[in-house]
Amino acid sequence: MSSITEVNPLKAHYLCPNCKFSDFDTDPQFRCGYDLPKRKCPECDNPLIGEGHDIPFETFLGFDGDKVPDIDLNFSGEYQPIAHNFTKQMFGQNNAFRAGTISTVANKTAFGYVRGYFESHFDYGNQPRKVEIERIAGLAEGVKRTTGQHPGGIIILPQEFEIEDFTPVNYPADKPDST
């Protein structure tokens, strides 16, 4: 309704682009509005558009109602820095922070690390069996590999809090003067 996204989460329905007539009384076999049969508007005789994807509301709050909703706005790559700086100006330098990311070692990567280590340090006959390499790789899986910045995520704190109340601050390349 607010044109923030092209994905309409409502159940399959008809909509008239001309007079804005809508009809939600549709056959439940159609879960996607694009699949609705062609039909003309009863008000102005224009072709109706099939809309909706029948996305359950629970996907936004969690099926157990335990997920806190958030607000996401996406900007193009060239406009992102402008939007981020505006957010800092609006809420204050100490209240707007870029969200961080933590990348971990994946299973196959860990296996490659361990296998590569043994191949470079031991003769072929002295290498451990595959099951031992998998065991050691399992210990390395999930270990922090790198940190970074979320491409668009900004955390806005209420004025009565400091960022350290929730999380440590990490600067890119350990440069505290970095933006």
Side-chain angles (χ1 to χ4, degrees), residues 99-111:
T101 60
I102 298 174
S103 297
T104 59
V105 176
N107 179 275
K108 288 183 180 182
T109 305
F111 185 85

Side-chain angles (χ1 to χ4, degrees), residues 120-167:
S120 66
H121 287 80
F122 296 94
D123 294 333
Y124 180 74
N126 292 330
Q127 294 201 12
R129 295 180 10 208
K130 183 178 177 186
V131 69
E132 178 62 6
I133 293 174
E134 288 174 350
R135 184 190 72 78
I136 296 170
L139 298 172
E141 183 181 351
V143 172
K144 183 174 97 172
R145 185 175 180 187
T146 61
T147 60
Q149 287 186 354
H150 189 281
I154 297 180
I155 299 167
I156 301 172
L157 297 175
Q159 289 184 338
E160 64 268 19
F161 294 106
E162 294 181 12
I163 190 67
E164 288 83 4
D165 293 338
F166 303 98
T167 183

Side-chain angles (χ1 to χ4, degrees), residues 16-162:
C16 178
N18 184 46
C19 72
K20 306 302 181 208
F21 166 83
S22 64
D23 181 7
F24 283 83
D25 189 22
T26 56
D27 188 334
Q29 79 174 2
F30 298 104
R31 295 195 47 127
C32 176
Y34 301 127
D35 298 332
L36 288 169
K38 302 288 183 220
R39 195 174 130 198
K40 293 222 177 215
C41 178
E43 305 284 327
C44 67
D45 206 39
N46 276 325
L48 292 172
I49 297 172
E51 277 283 341
H53 293 285
D54 199 17
I55 300 172
F57 182 72
E58 290 83 1
T59 57
F60 301 107
L61 294 177
F63 288 101
D64 297 321
D66 57 352
K67 188 175 157 193
V68 178
D70 63 352
I71 299 171
D72 291 338
L73 297 174
N74 295 315
F75 301 103
S76 65
E78 58 267 2
Y79 187 75
Q80 263 186 9
I82 296 167
H84 291 170
N85 287 333
F86 176 76
T87 306
K88 282 184 181 179
Q89 291 171 0
M90 179 182 254
F91 294 101
Q93 185 77 23
N94 295 324
N95 298 87
F97 294 87
R98 295 281 304 268
T101 60
I102 298 174
S103 297
T104 59
V105 176
N107 179 275
K108 288 183 180 182
T109 305
F111 185 85
Y113 287 163
V114 174
R115 188 183 64 210
Y117 172 81
F118 283 117
E119 286 175 356
S120 66
H121 287 80
F122 296 94
D123 294 333
Y124 180 74
N126 292 330
Q127 294 201 12
R129 295 180 10 208
K130 183 178 177 186
V131 69
E132 178 62 6
I133 293 174
E134 288 174 350
R135 184 190 72 78
I136 296 170
L139 298 172
E141 183 181 351
V143 172
K144 183 174 97 172
R145 185 175 180 187
T146 61
T147 60
Q149 287 186 354
H150 189 281
I154 297 180
I155 299 167
I156 301 172
L157 297 175
Q159 289 184 338
E160 64 268 19
F161 294 106
E162 294 181 12

